[in-house]
């Protein structure tokens, strides 16, 4: 299509106009303008340490998987940013800018620091469990669940808190309880290593997940198995 | 719960007989000297450290024929046959006598049962004979402390990769915390088992020979790439490449060198990726690679490129310290001993499973 061709040709110019807000391990994230809206542009740049073929295949796969998983979530009513445009030559994704939001990581950190309103965190844990249950019921495996990859959009009250999942770069589609269990395991590890003394909060999250998901028993069973694996593995050498 | 291994008693008596000969005159010294015994896998090493100086570090490796891995019983047998010679070498090279030793450190775990017991017996016997305190050391922490000593890295993100372990570790609040790890087999195990499939020599080590062959590989074969968050998985790529080896080599679609090359490029990229993620998470500017697989120059090269892009520094050691050795146990033992740790005889058992984060790192803030 002529329009998308012209946009494709000028993707680098969009990047030049945009403001880089973060350079992660995987991608550079910019804030810019696209078709009159504020957007987040996620640019997966080539990793020079990788063999070029490994790099190209991996980067393309991750871009595709990210977009597919976001669309699948959105279709199921789970909050994720809108995808406006994808360019497969520069591996750029143009996403909705979720304004007036904080990462769950920052929210928990400040809530713990100020020591007020523990109920707030309980509700948050419930909400996260619910959302992940919905996502897993859609057979979407996020692949990189951390509290930095969940955004809280400020609403009027906590009851209306809107949780948005982002960063689907390592995601894929799978119905296997094993994969869902590993997904939760990744979150558990990230959660507990980033936020000290939150074991009970995470327990509540899992309870909410179990209650909300139709397929949860098998998943929790796998989670328990994966947790033991680290401990039981014979470490030689 | 202590399993008794065959020949334990007879072996203890044999050691007593030989070690009796090593009693000699004392040498006055105010510094802390620790001797370390390591034999959790197929390498048996005895090393001596005096206040951060490596005085000696002899080692022997049990090498099996191509296509075979090493089994616990036979490995233990090998260690039994050489350990006293290596012990004597360690003392001779350091120019020390038993009286000069302040502490006897040994690998408490993790590792293979029979070899660990063999080494622990010698350590216990020697400690009692010489009247020195005993210290059970975590093997992984041995690698980390040696890496820190040799490279002087301040607070690095550590990539510990060997035949038995694959972990990304960062120090925080008195623990070496595991940020990412393999959810199934270690990367070295993947490489070693692949070497067996294509019958590469295990001398000096399968990983070394894969590295040399990889240098001659030219064709990149696409292999599964599995990173899950901060963790990695190697069993998938291993079964894939074992299968591919049979199919592709028989139809001459590629050479074994190409497979070695492709395997390295893929698994090392996975390791660099999880290390980078941990660095981004912790805000770290230093990387330290330890463990046998850390000897691999291609891995060091790739990690170096990643570090350069981020403005971080890479630290690595040479094969005398990357590969399992006695001095690393001595060094970790030295740190522990100087901060007041001692292992009572009744606690001096060994364990095949010993998580890096189980140890309280009292010697660092």
């Amino acid at each position: 299509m002529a329009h998308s061709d012209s946009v494709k040709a000028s993707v680098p110019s969009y990047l030049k106009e945009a403001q880089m807000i973060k350079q992660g391990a995987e991608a550079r994230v910019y804030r810019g303008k696209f078709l009159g809206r504020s957007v987040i542009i996620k640019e997966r740049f080539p990793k020079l340490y990788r063999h070029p073929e490994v790099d190209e295949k991996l980067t393309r796969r991750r871009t595709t998987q990210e977009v597919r998983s976001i669309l699948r979530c959105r279709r199921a009513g789970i909050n994720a940013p809108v995808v406006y445009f994808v360019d497969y030559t520069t591996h750029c994704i143009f996403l909705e800018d979720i304004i007036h939001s904080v990462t769950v990581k920052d929210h928990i950190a400040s809530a713990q620091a100020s020591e007020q309103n523990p109920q707030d965190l309980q509700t948050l844990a419930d909400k996260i469990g619910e959302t992940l249950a919905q996502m897993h019921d859609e057979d979407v495996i996020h692949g990189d669940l951390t509290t930095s990859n969940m955004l809280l959009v400020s609403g009027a009250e906590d009851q209306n808190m809107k949780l948005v999942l982002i960063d689907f770069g390592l995601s894929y589609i799978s119905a296997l309880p094993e994969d869902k269990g590993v997904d939760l395991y990744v979150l558990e590890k990230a959660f507990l290593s980033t936020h000290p003394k939150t074991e009970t909060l995470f327990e509540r999250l899992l309870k909410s997940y179990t209650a909300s998901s139709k397929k949860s028993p098998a998943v929790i069973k796998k989670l328990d198995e994966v947790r033991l694996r680290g401990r039981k593995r014979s470490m030689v050498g | 719960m202590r399993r008794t291994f065959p020949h334990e008693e007879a072996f203890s008596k044999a050691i007593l007989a030989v070690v009796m000969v090593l009693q000699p005159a004392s040498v006055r010294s105010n510094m802390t000297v620790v001797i370390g015994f390591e034999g959790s896998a197929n390498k048996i090493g005895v090393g001596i450290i005096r206040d951060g100086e490596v005085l000696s570090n002899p080692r022997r490796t049990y090498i099996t024929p191509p296509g075979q891995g090493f089994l616990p019983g036979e490995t233990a047998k090998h260690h039994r046959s050489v350990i006293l010679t290596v012990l004597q070498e360690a003392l001779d090279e350091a120019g020390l006598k038993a009286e000069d030793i302040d502490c006897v450190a040994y690998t408490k775990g993790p590792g293979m049962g029979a070899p660990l017991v063999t080494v622990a017996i010698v350590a216990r016997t020697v400690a009692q004979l010489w009247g020195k305190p005993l210290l059970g050391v975590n093997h992984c922490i041995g690698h980390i402390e040696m890496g820190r000593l040799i490279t002087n890295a301040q607070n690095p993100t550590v990539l510990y990769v060997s035949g038995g372990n694959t972990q990304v570790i960062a120090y925080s609040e008195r623990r070496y915390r595991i940020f990412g790890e393999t959810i199934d087999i270690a990367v070295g195990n993947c490489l070693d088992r692949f070497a067996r499939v294509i019958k590469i020599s295990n001398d000096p080590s399968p990983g070394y020979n894969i590295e040399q062959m990889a240098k001659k590989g030219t064709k990149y074969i696409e292999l599964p790439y599995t990173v899950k968050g901060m963790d990695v998985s190697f069993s998938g790529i291993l079964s894939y490449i074992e299968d591919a080896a049979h199919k592709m080599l028989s139809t001459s679609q590629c050479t074994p060198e190409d497979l070695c090359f492709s395997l390295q490029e893929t698994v090392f990229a996975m390791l660099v990726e999880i290390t980078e993620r941990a660095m981004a998470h912790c805000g770290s500017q230093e990387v330290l690679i330890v463990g046998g697989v850390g000897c691999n120059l291609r891995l060091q090269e790739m990690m170096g490129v990643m570090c350069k892009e981020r403005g971080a520094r890479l630290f690595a050691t040479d094969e005398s310290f990357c590969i399992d050795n006695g001095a690393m146990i001595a060094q970790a033992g030295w740190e522990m001993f100087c901060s007041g740790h001692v292992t009572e005889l009744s606690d001096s058992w060994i364990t095949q499973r010993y998580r890096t984060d189980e140890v309280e790192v009292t010697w660092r803030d």
Side-chain angles (χ1 to χ4, degrees), chain B residues 5-6 94 101 142 151 208 274 347 361:
Chain B
F5 288 85
I101 307 291
T151 65
Y208 178 81
I274 58 167
D347 290 331
V361 182

Side-chain angles (χ1 to χ4, degrees), chain A residues 186-213:
Chain A
V186 167
L187 176 61
E188 183 176 48
K189 284 177 63 173
F191 206 95
L192 300 179
S193 67
T194 315
H195 306 284
K197 301 194 191 75
T198 48
E199 283 83 358
T200 36
L201 197 64
F202 194 79
E203 274 304 306
R204 177 137 181 175
L205 195 161
L206 286 182
K207 254 201 211 93
S208 165
Y209 177 92
T210 312
S212 319
S213 166

Side-chain angles (χ1 to χ4, degrees), chain A residues 57 62 143 233-237, chain B residues 111 162 164-165 167 184 222 229:
Chain A
K57 291 205 158 77
R62 294 227 171 123
R233 187 172 51 250
S234 173
M235 297 159 95
V236 174
Chain B
S162 67
N165 294 285
Q167 302 172 15
D184 39 57
E222 192 178 348

Side-chain angles (χ1 to χ4, degrees), chain A residues 72-92:
Chain A
R72 198 158 161 140
C73 280
R74 287 189 57 80
R75 250 180 272 139
I78 301 164
N79 290 317
V82 176
V83 178
Y84 293 129
F85 183 66
V86 186
D87 176 23
Y88 287 100
T89 45
T90 53
H91 303 296
C92 283

